[in-house]
Amino acid sequence: MSTHCYVGATDPDNPHLVHARFVLFDGYPGVVLPTLAAIWASHAHRDTGALVTAILAHDWEYLDPGTTATTGSGFTGQRPMPGVGMTLASEVDPPEPVTVFPLCHAGHLDADWIYLVEADTAAIGVHTGDGNSVATYPLTGCLLPATAHRRPSQPCGVRPAARAPR
């Protein structure tokens, strides 16, 4: 069974409006947070704007910074995006449009988790599938080796979630 998630960012002019992409596999925080940090550090060269651009380019079968141009997929026609992951777009079809939704309506999506890149703080806001904020993780804290002493509930260095009205 896979855990679906959305990864994206809020609209700078309307912080309650999310622009995100669907990720089919491995949507757990313990997988997504270190993966996004690795993509940010290597593919995006620690530029959060470049990370957002890369993530919003496609819906994803999975995210994996180790993806190369020759990485294969279990689904026919999927395209590898080196340094980012495997798309859900076929080789002939254009990508689906970015999913845009108010965070307070996230419960209508088919996802267990929502991850929002905070470009101004180089952090990832983690939200449950219904849009409730859980915590914010600095990308630099998520670059620690997977063997570091982390509890599954805290995959990276964490800042408590700010409870703002939605």
Side-chain angles (χ1 to χ4, degrees):
M1 194 97 180
S2 66
T3 298
H4 306 171
C5 69
Y6 278 85
V7 179
T10 56
D11 184 321
D13 297 325
N14 184 352
H16 299 292
L17 194 62
V18 173
H19 296 251
R21 288 299 193 160
F22 180 76
V23 180
L24 182 61
F25 291 115
D26 295 333
Y28 290 106
V31 175
V32 173
L33 293 168
T35 299
L36 288 174
I39 294 167
W40 168 74
S42 60
H43 179 78
H45 306 289
R46 295 182 181 247
D47 177 344
T48 53
L51 173 62
V52 170
T53 299
I55 296 300
L56 292 182
H58 300 278
D59 286 328
W60 301 95
E61 179 183 341
Y62 60 86
L63 297 170
D64 179 359
T67 303
T68 67
T70 60
T71 301
S73 169
F75 297 113
T76 305
Q78 304 313 84
R79 294 188 325 218
M81 297 304 293
V84 182
M86 186 66 64
T87 71
L88 274 177
S90 75
E91 293 176 346
V92 295
D93 295 328
E96 293 291 322
V98 171
T99 301
V100 179
F101 58 93
L103 191 54
C104 63
H105 289 233
H108 299 287
L109 302 171
D110 178 24
D112 295 312
W113 297 97
I114 300 166
Y115 303 93
L116 300 177
V117 178
E118 297 178 1
D120 57 338
T121 61
I124 303 292
V126 179
H127 302 263
T128 58
D130 60 4
N132 288 316
S133 180
V134 175
T136 300
Y137 295 89
L139 285 163
T140 55
C142 295
L143 288 172
L144 296 174
T147 57
H149 300 293
R150 295 183 185 152
R151 296 188 313 259
S153 63
Q154 289 192 334
C156 312
V158 64
R159 282 193 332 240
R163 298 291 176 192
R166 293 188 288 154

